[in-house]
Amino acid sequence: MAEKTRKARRGKINLKSMLSVFAILACVILLAYFVSRHVAQKESSIPLVECEWHVFLAGTNGYPKEIPSLESAERDVEELQKLFKNLGVKDENIIVLKTENSDVYETTTKESLELKYEEFLNGLTKNSIAFVFLSGHGFSEGEKSYYAPRDFKLDKKEKKKISIDDWLKKLSKTKARFKWMCIDACRTPLPAGTRDLNSSILKIGGVPKDVLLMQSCGQGQYSYEPTEELEPNPKKRHGLFTRAFIEAIDSRFPQTDTNKDDKVSLNELRDYLTSRVPQYVAKYYDAEQDPEFTGIETLGEELVNSPLFKNPRIDPIVKVVTIAGCDVKFIKVRAGTFTMGQGGDKEDQREVTVESDFWLAETETTQRLWAAVMGDNPSEFKGDDLPVERVSWDDCQKFIEAIQEYAPEGESFKLPSEEHWEYACRAGSSEIYWWGDDVEDGEGKLNGYDRRGKESEGMGWEPFPFDDGYAKTAPVGTFEPNAWGFKDMLGNVREWCDDVLSGDSSKHVIRGGGWTFLTSKCQCGARESGVSNLQSNYLGFRLELCEAGYKPEVLPIEIGGDQKESVNFVWIPAGTFTMGSPDTEIGRDLTEFQHEVTIPTGFWLAETETTQALWTAVMGDNPSKFKGEKDSLKHPVERVSWDDCQEFIERIQKYAPPGKRFKLPSEEHWEYACRAGRQTIYWWGDKPEDGQGKANVYDECAEEVYHRKDYAPLNFRDGFSETAPVGSFAANPWGLKDMVGNVWEWCEDSWNGKLPTPDLDAEVSSKPRNAIRGGCWDGGARVCRSAYRTGLPNDTRANYLGFRLEMIDESAQ
């Protein structure tokens, strides 16, 4: 009995224990559930601004012969890819498929599309924003909708069609925080006999509730693209829906942001597309196209805080400088690369790298500031806040000289180079105007020759298609700024630039259009020129502020007999640099082996090559083949040997300041000064074509005369087929001009096929050949590199051989 009781108790205890364990497990499970739910809620509450974009883009142009090919689908995805990258989406998060991609798995066959789509879906997480864009032919059968891949055929459509309904469902099942599909399809009518493919609309029903779907056209409509005949400008030949979509999310189209909160909501996007797409279609076709949107009402404003739809206008970094009692606002422009020019005969396009930050005035210079500094007002249209006009390039230089005392310490004022001007004007845009390609979108953004101007002035050319409110100049800053904060970069008054016009050193570059100029003259890439004393009621300027840094110290010295010439010597500071070129440099010679060189003491180097005027004043003759201008002889002297240079230097020693001595530069000094602190192939960078405006080399101008067969000309026009007046081109960062091109420059060192090193010092001048550096007017890209070196016999005279002077402090040796 006792034994049974103990067993019963053990049984009760076991049952009680089991119930306790179950209770504990239940509590743990419930706790885990609530914790996981809390975590899930917390994860789902992560702001969209912290989510990553994942983008899938597919565009199909080419189809089998029975189906008409398209023109713009690939261009659509290329432009979207560029836009998403500019908006900060990572390269690895963008999948792009186009008809003509070389890799079979990157093209738009059914196999590759579905393979890449699965890859895209698998990469989505709870912190993803998924965007899918399809451009090409589409069709519907019953309640099902399909996309036609590049290998789609009518007789095999069941095997080749891609179900958009299935793709929507797959997207809906992913973990992505926000899911969005956009379809620009059913573009053009198909040939007779293909009605089943060309059903009235890509018809999509039953869209999952958590997916936003945008369709380029409504029920019974087609989605249009302009042909080349209708739209010659290839930049505008997009699917018209895609063109409007790109505009809508691009920061240069602030009209999308109707409530001016610097964000573009989904509703604002819908409103823009609803109005803009029909306008574009009406421009090219007698037809209707009305985009459809599914999911906006339920998904609402969820994307409003996404970084993609924030108007990414950068808050400008501003520096205010007070000049003669007037505050001038300068905006900092960050270094970067852009495509300069518009193409065509006058504006050849080229990629330009702006290597250093710079400051540019927010607006054009006002009459108030000019009067405060100069004490007069030359403008025809008077008003303190109007831009000063009727000022020549020469007048601008006098004004700039007068205001240098107001520059912050270590900084200075100047006119902008045209590269700096266009870079700031574009503010990241590659289109015709900084706001895009459409002239009508310029309303509120510039003061050009508009309807009011035509009524007032009656010019014979076509006006801007709006009334900007001004027949002549407007107060600076009246109109909307570009994306970087600059105002009146186009219109109001044309603006002088610092540059000399290539091919004509008597003229300077003018940019930006003006109040009296037609649309083609007010484009980002449009450029004109004028003589330095030209004054007009459409000519003004804005200031650039050169940031603190190396500022050349210049010492002018008069040299010569009865007719003395002034030579500017620039101080080159001591320092260390890498001489020669790396193994990877294109065009490298074995004599250019790299090694570190220390320049222990600074020295003076002539700002330019020695002129014919100076040589004549000292030597009494002019051996040059290419004679300079009749009275000034500003071209470099050439046809002078190394021995001739020594005789010239011996004669001018009496003009050297006490303790100083003239000489030819050593190779080390020459290359150190030429590089000016940079290790790029040329002092301006690694691309020879970026040397336009910086050097006189063998270019298209020289090719037209000499037709060299051993190397090709550089693909620009520097304006000279032979030598140019010294100083015609931009200086390097240390203030030296023509270090590249114009004439080869004799160096002091003997030529032995090796770079000079300390153990070879004793051999200087002991060899019959001496080094020459820098290339010349007849030199191609290879020989104009900073590291390139060669030598010639000391008695050689040629129309490409000249020199520049060095002045050293003997007490420092």
Side-chain angles (χ1 to χ4, degrees):
M1 184 69 180
E3 184 65 24
K4 288 182 178 180
T5 302
R6 284 195 295 271
K7 286 183 178 179
R9 285 176 178 168
R10 282 199 298 268
K12 288 180 180 179
I13 291 171
N14 289 340
L15 180 60
K16 186 176 181 180
S17 299
M18 289 174 67
L19 291 172
S20 297
V21 169
F22 282 130
I24 292 170
L25 285 172
C27 289
V28 170
I29 291 170
L30 286 171
L31 180 62
Y33 169 76
F34 286 116
V35 168
S36 64
R37 186 175 179 182
H38 174 73
V39 170
Q41 288 175 342
K42 186 174 181 181
E43 285 182 347
S44 65
S45 66
I46 295 174
L48 276 169
V49 71
E50 297 178 14
C51 292
E52 276 197 332
W53 280 82
H54 291 254
V55 177
F56 183 94
L57 306 172
T60 304
N61 276 357
Y63 286 91
K65 292 180 180 180
E66 62 206 27
I67 301 171
S69 293
L70 302 172
E71 293 186 10
S72 302
E74 290 191 20
R75 192 178 297 115
D76 290 348
V77 300
E78 288 168 355
E79 192 64 25
L80 280 169
Q81 179 187 20
K82 183 169 66 175
L83 181 59
F84 278 111
K85 288 178 67 174
N86 289 341
L87 292 167
V89 180
K90 298 176 182 176
D91 284 336
E92 59 266 30
N93 287 356
I94 303 176
I95 292 177
V96 181
L97 296 97
K98 299 181 295 184
T99 310
E100 299 303 330
N101 288 28
S102 57
D103 185 340
V104 67
Y105 293 109
E106 302 295 336
T107 188
T108 58
T109 61
K110 180 180 180 180
E111 180 185 7
S112 59
L113 280 167
E114 294 192 331
L115 180 70
K116 285 294 182 179
Y117 191 57
E118 288 297 327
E119 178 185 319
F120 170 77
L121 298 177
N122 291 335
L124 301 176
T125 70
K126 291 179 179 179
N127 294 332
S128 297
I129 298 172
F131 178 79
V132 179
F133 176 87
L134 302 176
S135 182
H137 280 307
F139 63 101
S140 60
E141 291 179 329
E143 295 300 317
K144 291 285 187 177
S145 54
Y146 300 94
Y147 179 77
R150 68 171 294 186
D151 54 347
F152 180 86
K153 292 184 178 181
L154 293 176
D155 58 351
K156 296 180 180 180
K157 65 180 181 180
E158 294 305 318
K159 292 182 178 181
K160 293 299 183 180
K161 63 187 181 183
I162 290 177
S163 172
I164 292 176
D165 303 79
D166 289 348
W167 275 37
L168 284 167
K169 290 175 184 177
K170 288 180 179 180
L171 181 60
S172 176
K173 290 178 181 179
T174 66
K175 298 178 180 180
R177 171 71 184 283
F178 194 90
K179 303 150 189 176
W180 183 0
M181 184 175 287
C182 191
I183 300 173
D184 193 348
C186 285
R187 293 178 186 269
T188 55
L190 297 175
T194 59
R195 292 178 60 84
D196 54 341
L197 180 62
N198 188 31
S199 56
S200 60
I201 179 66
L202 180 73
K203 186 167 56 179
I204 300 175
V207 179
K209 292 182 179 180
D210 60 345
V211 178
L212 170 63
L213 175 65
M214 289 189 177
Q215 295 172 264
S216 59
C217 51
Q219 186 69 27
Q221 298 176 338
Y222 294 113
S223 188
Y224 289 93
E225 62 175 6
T227 62
E228 184 175 359
E229 183 179 355
L230 290 173
E231 179 51 73
N233 186 348
K235 291 184 177 180
K236 296 183 180 182
R237 288 204 301 277
H238 286 289
L240 296 178
F241 170 82
T242 303
R243 178 175 168 185
F245 179 81
I246 291 170
E247 291 175 359
I249 61 175
D250 191 321
S251 66
R252 287 168 287 124
F253 294 84
Q255 63 265 35
T256 317
D257 179 21
T258 53
N259 63 0
K260 306 301 181 185
D261 64 350
D262 291 332
K263 300 171 186 176
V264 178
S265 70
L266 288 174
N267 286 331
E268 287 174 327
L269 174 60
R270 175 195 58 195
D271 293 343
Y272 183 81
L273 294 175
T274 300
S275 63
R276 194 62 162 161
V277 173
Q279 290 175 7
Y280 277 148
V281 174
K283 179 178 179 180
Y284 300 104
Y285 301 99
D286 182 16
E288 295 181 354
Q289 180 180 332
D290 304 297
E292 284 193 349
F293 309 89
T294 306
I296 282 187
E297 298 304 327
T298 55
L299 298 174
E301 302 291 309
E302 191 166 4
L303 269 187
V304 70
N305 290 319
S306 163
L308 177 60
F309 291 110
K310 276 189 176 179
N311 189 338
R313 289 179 180 276
I314 302 168
D315 291 334
I317 300 174
V318 174
K319 178 189 291 188
V320 178
V321 179
T322 302
I323 302 174
C326 301
D327 287 343
V328 180
K329 186 184 292 186
F330 290 88
I331 296 175
K332 190 166 193 173
V333 182
R334 298 295 188 184
T337 299
F338 75 109
T339 300
M340 186 172 178
Q342 290 291 94
D345 294 336
K346 291 186 178 180
E347 299 91 23
D348 292 330
Q349 287 188 307
R350 57 192 176 95
E351 189 175 87
V352 172
T353 297
V354 177
E355 295 190 343
S356 303
D357 299 348
F358 62 95
W359 297 89
L360 190 64
E362 177 190 42
T363 69
E364 298 152 331
T365 303
T366 63
Q367 295 177 28
R368 176 186 286 108
L369 177 58
W370 182 277
V373 173
M374 306 299 284
D376 62 6
N377 184 358
S379 306
E380 180 174 330
F381 312 124
K382 296 293 193 291
D384 284 348
D385 294 323
L386 294 177
V388 66
E389 18 91 2
R390 293 193 62 79
V391 289
S392 67
W393 189 89
D394 293 333
D395 296 332
C396 295
Q397 300 307 309
K398 293 175 183 177
F399 174 87
I400 288 169
E401 184 178 352
I403 64 172
Q404 294 300 340
E405 62 181 290
Y406 300 103
E409 185 175 355
E411 300 181 355
S412 60
F413 299 107
K414 65 185 287 289
L415 291 176
S417 68
E418 65 168 331
E419 290 181 349
H420 281 190
W421 188 96
E422 186 172 331
Y423 181 54
C425 175
R426 289 189 176 281
S429 166
S430 60
E431 279 74 36
I432 295 174
Y433 309 95
W434 59 257
W435 59 80
D437 284 330
D438 289 327
V439 65
E440 57 265 26
D441 289 335
E443 186 169 10
K445 301 178 179 67
L446 90 165
N447 173 23
Y449 183 67
D450 64 333
R451 293 169 184 164
R452 183 177 300 230
K454 188 172 183 65
E455 291 174 3
S456 171
E457 305 300 314
M459 304 292 189
W461 46 83
E462 189 68 20
F464 280 87
F466 48 73
D467 183 352
D468 60 38
Y470 295 89
K472 297 181 173 64
T473 56
V476 301
T478 298
F479 296 88
E480 184 180 326
N482 69 10
W484 291 354
F486 293 104
K487 301 176 180 179
D488 301 312
M489 292 297 288
L490 300 179
N492 220 14
V493 290
R494 311 206 83 177
E495 301 180 19
W496 286 109
C497 290
D498 199 38
D499 308 71
V500 173
L501 183 69
S502 295
D504 190 346
S505 59
S506 67
K507 293 182 178 179
H508 289 268
V509 175
I510 303 168
R511 303 298 296 262
W515 62 270
T516 186
F517 284 88
L518 67 165
T519 58
S520 63
K521 301 294 184 182
C522 294
Q523 299 172 1
C524 296
R527 59 197 297 266
E528 298 289 337
S529 64
V531 293
S532 62
N533 62 355
L534 175 65
Q535 297 173 330
S536 176
N537 60 13
Y538 58 76
L539 268 177
F541 68 103
R542 77 177 67 216
L543 292 168
E544 179 177 330
L545 180 64
C546 302
E547 197 162 20
Y550 179 75
K551 189 176 180 180
E553 179 184 353
V554 179
L555 176 65
I557 295 178
E558 287 194 338
I559 298 174
D562 295 335
Q563 183 68 39
K564 287 184 170 57
E565 293 288 328
S566 182
V567 179
N568 286 335
F569 286 88
V570 177
W571 177 249
I572 308 300
T576 299
F577 80 109
T578 301
M579 189 172 183
S581 63
D583 294 342
T584 55
E585 187 166 304
I586 297 173
R588 181 180 190 269
D589 262 356
L590 295 178
T591 62
E592 298 170 17
F593 64 87
Q594 282 190 305
H595 66 289
E596 190 174 89
V597 172
T598 296
I599 309 297
T601 57
F603 58 95
W604 296 92
L605 192 62
E607 178 185 36
T608 69
E609 297 153 331
T610 301
T611 63
Q612 296 176 27
L614 178 59
W615 182 276
T616 303
V618 173
M619 305 296 284
D621 62 3
N622 183 0
S624 305
K625 177 178 180 179
F626 307 124
K627 296 293 193 292
E629 299 167 14
K630 183 179 296 185
D631 299 319
S632 61
L633 300 177
K634 292 301 183 184
H635 285 243
V637 67
E638 19 89 5
R639 292 189 59 80
V640 290
S641 67
W642 188 90
D643 295 331
D644 295 334
C645 295
Q646 301 306 311
E647 182 180 351
F648 174 87
I649 288 170
E650 185 178 346
R651 291 193 187 190
I652 64 171
Q653 292 298 347
K654 58 185 175 182
Y655 301 106
K660 304 292 192 297
R661 176 171 64 87
F662 297 119
K663 62 186 287 289
L664 292 176
S666 66
E667 278 200 84
E668 290 179 344
H669 280 192
W670 189 95
E671 187 171 329
Y672 177 59
C674 177
R675 290 188 178 279
R678 298 179 178 177
Q679 284 301 133
T680 49
I681 296 176
Y682 310 91
W683 64 256
W684 58 76
D686 288 327
K687 296 180 179 180
E689 59 267 25
D690 287 345
Q692 183 165 13
K694 302 179 180 70
N696 174 24
V697 294
Y698 189 74
D699 68 327
E700 293 171 358
C701 296
E703 171 72 5
E704 290 171 359
V705 177
Y706 290 96
H707 307 293
R708 295 292 299 257
K709 295 182 179 180
D710 45 350
Y711 50 81
L714 276 76
N715 59 344
F716 58 73
R717 302 181 67 83
D718 59 37
F720 298 92
S721 58
E722 283 126 3
T723 60
V726 301
S728 294
F729 297 89
N732 75 5
W734 286 357
L736 300 169
K737 300 178 180 179
D738 300 312
M739 292 297 288
V740 176
N742 222 13
V743 290
W744 286 95
E745 299 179 18
W746 286 108
C747 289
E748 187 70 19
D749 308 82
S750 61
W751 171 254
N752 47 36
K754 299 179 181 179
L755 281 170
T757 54
D759 62 328
L760 295 176
D761 282 350
E763 295 182 3
V764 171
S765 300
S766 65
K767 302 289 183 180
R769 299 169 71 90
N770 279 76
I772 58 173
R773 302 297 296 263
C776 68
W777 61 270
D778 191 33
R782 177 173 177 266
V783 302
C784 291
R785 294 174 299 114
S786 298
Y788 187 83
R789 54 192 299 269
T790 188
L792 289 172
N794 295 357
D795 59 355
T796 304
R797 296 185 178 98
N799 59 15
Y800 51 76
L801 275 175
F803 69 103
R804 80 176 65 218
L805 293 168
E806 179 180 331
M807 184 172 67
I808 62 170
D809 186 348
E810 291 191 307
S811 63
Q813 300 299 303

